[in-house]
Amino acid sequence: MTDPVPFLDLTAQFGALEAEWLAAIRETGAKGSFILGPNVADFEREFAEYVGVKHAIGVANGTDSLILSLRALGIGPGDEVITTPYTFFASSEAIDVVGATPVFADIDPASFTLDPKSVAERVTDRTRAIVPVHIFGHPCDMSALGEIARRHKLAVIEDCAQSFGATVGGRVVGSMGDAGSFSFYPTKVLGCYGDGGMITTNSDAVNEHVRRLRNHGAVKPFIHVEVGCNSRLDEIQAALLRIKLRRVRADIDGRRGVARAYDRRLAGTALVVPATAAGAEHAYNLYTVRIPRGRDAARQALADAGIPTALCYPQGLHLQEVYRRLDYRPGSLPVCERLTEENLSLPIYPGMPERHIDRVCEALTRALA
Ligand SMILES: *Cc1c(COP(=O)(O)O)cnc(C)c1O
């Protein structure tokens, strides 16, 4: 293929940011402030402002942001935490890492996000928290989940790893729970050139606790009040993220533009384009369609035409080998299991060339005819 269609192309954007980032790195070097320096502090303030929260705390990656949020909210051994089986493993892995038990609820077939009715059915007297995941960039039904949380006094930790900038009812994700958890893994909507993560919260107590946990449980140099860890956002990544945050609205608009083109071109075929709930704005970290019949053949036809796709996700977490001890069975969460057979994620990124969108749509339309 002379003109390969990438699933995601990070190189064009690097070219556009390179000079500005390198200048910021040189400035950091000249100051000699490499850990928890001015870039991290400034980025935390700018990030909190964007999301509309009181505090933002930079950490080493998105997985740690979930772990430290759970710890700061007091979730631990003996506790149950309800989450979705239709997500990247880190969402539930973090619950295990703090010693709690993940409890999987089923999902809504239109948005791929947690079904509040299924969540309500799984609340027990050991349930302490809900981890809604705004999967692919589609916000969860936060008003229904918030209502369940209030009724049963549960903490809510939003997993916003794939949904930076998505909104529901005019509120930005990461501002609606007790804590919001973000990843800056390079493929995310706001990605850096390495690992990074952020926790958002309106709670002064959570803010203070997370700041302590990310830095060895220290309240001041060499004075430790608890066992924490080393999980800090890197100063050089924070310098890049400050630059990218200033342009992120255009990036999200670019993703939405590709999604609108796909929606328009693929309507009327045998596939189901992603829906957006009323009052919500999708961030399209991924553009995931459902192909009720013949998904694997369509995927092969696209591969033969030089078009990469991804299966997000090929298996519900409840059926993964690691969770055999939790005793779920095929059929336990039927909507999730059906969608694992039907999903197909298409190439999408800001600046994706029109001719590549054309090729994806033509190959897919042909495969489904
Ligand atoms: C990427 C991702 C994470 C983990 O983020 P890392 O920065 O890779 O640790 C957590 N949850 C979801 C839904 C993700 O997509």
Side-chain angles (χ1 to χ4, degrees):
M1 213 49 62
T2 51
D3 181 24
V5 176
F7 188 75
L8 164 72
D9 182 1
L10 297 171
T11 59
Q13 190 172 58
F14 176 74
L17 304 175
E18 187 178 357
E20 210 177 327
W21 187 36
L22 293 183
I25 293 174
R26 280 191 206 100
E27 203 181 305
T28 300
K31 284 185 188 140
S33 179
F34 296 107
I35 297 289
L36 297 182
N39 281 306
V40 169
D42 288 342
F43 180 55
E44 287 177 341
R45 198 162 44 243
E46 291 156 2
F47 193 94
E49 196 175 311
Y50 185 104
V51 174
V53 288
K54 206 164 160 193
H55 307 287
I57 310 101
V59 294
N61 55 67
T63 308
D64 279 1
S65 69
L66 287 167
I67 294 168
L68 299 190
S69 298
L70 289 161
R71 280 194 63 186
L73 286 160
I75 313 296
D79 297 337
E80 291 178 359
V81 179
I82 301 175
T83 192
T84 170
Y86 202 95
T87 178
F88 179 61
F89 181 53
S91 308
S92 64
E93 185 183 34
I95 297 167
D96 290 289
V97 167
V98 303
T101 303
V103 173
F104 296 105
D106 212 347
I107 59 171
D108 163 58
S111 66
F112 294 87
T113 60
L114 268 180
D115 174 0
K117 190 166 162 286
S118 180
V119 171
E121 286 165 6
R122 281 162 181 79
V123 174
T124 71
D125 53 12
R126 297 170 71 175
T127 308
R128 291 283 312 283
I130 307 173
V131 177
V133 182
H134 308 300
I135 202 73
F136 308 146
H138 188 292
C140 295
D141 183 346
M142 292 306 291
S143 66
L145 293 172
E147 179 55 39
I148 296 166
R150 267 189 303 280
R151 195 176 336 128
H152 299 282
K153 298 191 166 47
L154 311 177
V156 175
I157 298 106
E158 296 177 73
D159 183 341
C160 309
Q162 298 186 9
S163 59
F164 180 86
T167 66
V168 54
R171 298 184 70 181
V172 183
V173 298
S175 67
M176 292 169 277
D178 297 282
S181 166
F182 293 82
S183 165
F184 304 125
Y185 186 79
T187 64
K188 313 287 185 179
V189 174
L190 180 63
C192 63
Y193 297 145
D195 277 308
M198 186 73 87
I199 294 163
T200 51
T201 185
N202 283 313
S203 155
D204 296 342
V206 170
N207 173 51
E208 262 175 52
H209 200 172
V210 168
R211 285 182 188 280
R212 197 160 78 211
L213 288 171
R214 76 170 172 183
N215 200 23
H216 304 290
V219 283
K220 52 185 164 176
F222 309 121
I223 303 300
H224 306 271
V225 296
E226 67 180 321
V227 173
C229 62
N230 177 351
S231 183
R232 300 171 300 225
L233 179 61
D234 187 276
E235 186 68 10
I236 282 171
Q237 297 300 338
L240 171 72
L241 286 160
R242 294 189 66 205
I243 296 165
K244 289 190 74 170
L245 185 64
R246 288 182 217 127
R247 310 173 186 221
V248 76
R249 285 180 210 271
D251 286 346
I252 296 170
D253 285 345
R255 289 177 179 277
R256 288 178 178 151
V258 176
R260 289 295 80 79
Y262 277 147
D263 286 349
R264 203 167 52 240
R265 300 277 306 270
L266 298 173
T269 63
L271 61 72
V272 184
V273 297
T276 306
E281 288 185 304
H282 203 307
Y284 293 105
N285 191 21
L286 287 165
Y287 185 92
T288 303
V289 300
R290 287 168 51 201
I291 304 180
R293 271 173 306 281
R295 188 270 314 265
D296 293 341
R299 184 174 198 222
Q300 187 58 53
L302 287 171
D304 294 344
I307 296 163
T309 55
L311 300 187
C312 303
Y313 293 90
Q315 189 179 34
L317 293 183
H318 63 297
L319 298 178
Q320 296 263 350
E321 183 173 333
V322 57
Y323 289 130
R324 209 179 291 162
R325 66 191 145 88
L326 298 179
D327 239 19
Y328 291 89
R329 296 271 180 272
S332 297
L333 299 169
V335 179
C336 167
E337 289 164 37
R338 177 156 53 84
L339 297 198
T340 57
E341 305 286 318
E342 296 183 354
N343 72 82
L344 190 67
S345 297
L346 307 181
I348 190 168
Y349 56 93
M352 179 174 174
E354 194 95 26
R355 65 178 192 285
H356 288 174
I357 300 173
D358 289 345
R359 276 182 48 201
V360 174
C361 293
E362 281 157 20
L364 196 48
T365 306
R366 215 176 312 123
L368 295 170

